[in-house]
């Protein structure tokens, strides 16, 4: 797929009109962070930027709209997602990106879809969006020292550090950690033992 400046502009206009101001600010910051990480790891920067722009496109949807949207992908809704519907905003965002902006790049779709929970076997762009979403500069709980300590590591190591941080953060907030997230951490830990 050809990512044009016009497409980026069209996405930006939509986001400005449809996201809360705070969410829009976070989205732009995530996209810029993703672009920076893509440069570091020699991944297409435009794809990283677009995936960052689109990652939270459905985050401000109400629950009914989220449920209606995700059912379009034919994967159903599991008990964990029924209990925590906000977990669905990545899946819904992937569908919206395809419907509104004709995004057909599988890496971008995967990055949007799994930026919240992660998923076993996710690709490098998806890992970058997961990281960027967590470390973007507007996150009050992320220090400059934390980010500085991440850079210089290989992508998988950086991803694993962020994954553990996300799990710790959720535990401190007394929020349930997704089974997908826990399975992903287990996969990384098993890989390291080999």
């Amino acid at each position: 797929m050809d990512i044009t400046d016009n497409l980026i502009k069209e996405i930006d206009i939509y986001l400005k009109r449809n996201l809360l101001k705070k969410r829009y600010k976070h989205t732009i910051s995530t996209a810029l962070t993703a672009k920076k990480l893509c440069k570091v790891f020699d991944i297409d920067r435009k794809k990283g930027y677009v995936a960052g722009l689109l990652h939270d496109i459905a985050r401000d949807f109400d629950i009914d709209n989220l449920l209606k949207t995700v059912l379009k992908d034919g994967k159903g809704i599991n008990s964990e997602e029924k209990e925590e519907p906000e977990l669905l905003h990545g899946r819904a965002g992937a569908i919206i990106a395809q419907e509104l902006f004709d995004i057909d790049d599988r890496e971008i779709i995967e990055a949007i879809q799994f930026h919240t929970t992660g998923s076993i076997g996710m690709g490098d762009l998806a890992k970058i969006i997961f990281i960027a979403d967590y470390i973007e500069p507007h996150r009050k709980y992320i220090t400059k020292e934390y980010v500085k300590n991440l850079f210089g590591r290989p992508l998988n190591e950086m991803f694993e550090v962020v994954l553990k941080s996300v799990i710790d953060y959720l535990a401190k907030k007394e929020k349930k950690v997704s089974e997908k997230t826990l399975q992903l951490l287990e996969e990384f830990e098993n890989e390291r033992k080999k």
Side-chain angles (χ1 to χ4, degrees), residues 53-142:
L53 283 179
L54 292 169
H55 85 284
D56 268 353
I57 194 169
R59 184 66 178 86
D60 293 331
F61 281 18
D62 62 41
I63 291 171
D64 289 340
N65 205 359
L66 267 178
L67 296 172
K68 187 175 92 176
T69 303
V70 297
L71 289 175
K72 294 177 184 179
D73 70 12
K75 296 176 184 170
I77 299 168
N78 65 35
S79 59
E80 182 178 63
E81 293 165 333
K82 284 178 186 169
E83 192 179 308
E84 298 280 340
E86 95 179 23
L87 293 175
L88 295 169
H89 80 271
R91 278 178 57 195
I95 292 164
I96 298 301
Q98 292 171 80
E99 289 180 349
L100 292 183
F101 303 108
D102 296 320
I103 303 293
D104 61 1
D105 184 287
R106 296 312 315 156
E107 291 177 308
I108 294 173
I109 296 303
E110 176 191 52
I112 298 166
Q113 186 174 1
F114 296 124
H115 80 273
T116 303
T117 60
S119 181
I120 289 175
M122 63 198 283
D124 289 349
L125 182 62
K127 291 172 187 169
I128 282 174
I129 298 304
F130 188 94
I131 294 166
D133 183 33
Y134 187 73
I135 69 167
E136 62 90 355
H138 294 295
R139 296 289 199 189
K140 290 179 176 31
Y141 52 84
I142 298 298

Side-chain angles (χ1 to χ4, degrees), residues 7 15 21 48-49 51 54 65 89 94 112-113 144 171 187-188:
L7 174 63
L15 296 174
K21 279 186 180 181
Y49 188 76
L54 292 169
N65 205 359
H89 80 271
I112 298 166
Q113 186 174 1
K144 288 180 182 178
E187 179 188 73
F188 268 86

Side-chain angles (χ1 to χ4, degrees), residues 1-192:
M1 107 168 265
D2 189 27
I3 298 172
T4 64
D5 290 340
N6 281 343
L7 174 63
I8 291 171
K9 192 175 187 178
E10 188 182 333
I11 293 168
D12 186 62
I13 290 167
Y14 177 89
L15 296 174
K16 275 183 189 165
R17 290 182 182 157
N18 291 283
L19 295 182
L20 299 171
K21 279 186 180 181
K22 182 179 176 183
R23 181 96 49 227
Y24 177 75
K25 189 176 176 182
H26 160 71
T27 295
I28 296 301
S29 189
T30 299
L32 291 169
T33 303
K35 187 176 179 181
K36 181 179 177 181
L37 287 166
C38 284
K39 183 177 181 181
V40 169
F41 294 108
D42 198 26
I43 294 170
D44 187 312
R45 285 178 267 179
K46 275 192 173 181
K47 284 171 71 165
Y49 188 76
V50 166
L53 283 179
L54 292 169
H55 85 284
D56 268 353
I57 194 169
R59 184 66 178 86
D60 293 331
F61 281 18
D62 62 41
I63 291 171
D64 289 340
N65 205 359
L66 267 178
L67 296 172
K68 187 175 92 176
T69 303
V70 297
L71 289 175
K72 294 177 184 179
D73 70 12
K75 296 176 184 170
I77 299 168
N78 65 35
S79 59
E80 182 178 63
E81 293 165 333
K82 284 178 186 169
E83 192 179 308
E84 298 280 340
E86 95 179 23
L87 293 175
L88 295 169
H89 80 271
R91 278 178 57 195
I95 292 164
I96 298 301
Q98 292 171 80
E99 289 180 349
L100 292 183
F101 303 108
D102 296 320
I103 303 293
D104 61 1
D105 184 287
R106 296 312 315 156
E107 291 177 308
I108 294 173
I109 296 303
E110 176 191 52
I112 298 166
Q113 186 174 1
F114 296 124
H115 80 273
T116 303
T117 60
S119 181
I120 289 175
M122 63 198 283
D124 289 349
L125 182 62
K127 291 172 187 169
I128 282 174
I129 298 304
F130 188 94
I131 294 166
D133 183 33
Y134 187 73
I135 69 167
E136 62 90 355
H138 294 295
R139 296 289 199 189
K140 290 179 176 31
Y141 52 84
I142 298 298
T143 65
K144 288 180 182 178
E145 185 178 318
Y146 177 88
V147 174
K148 185 180 173 185
N149 287 332
L150 281 179
F151 280 83
R153 297 172 185 253
L155 180 57
N156 281 343
E157 188 179 314
M158 183 187 281
F159 180 75
E160 185 177 0
V161 169
V162 170
L163 186 62
K164 287 177 179 175
S165 296
V166 167
I167 291 169
D168 290 344
Y169 174 80
L170 292 171
K172 285 177 190 164
K173 292 280 188 181
E174 296 182 1
K175 290 190 171 192
K176 187 175 184 231
V177 179
S178 167
E179 278 301 312
K180 280 184 182 177
T181 308
L182 294 172
Q183 289 168 359
L184 184 55
L185 179 60
E186 187 178 322
E187 179 188 73
F188 268 86
E189 289 173 342
N190 289 338
E191 278 298 313
R192 211 176 341 96

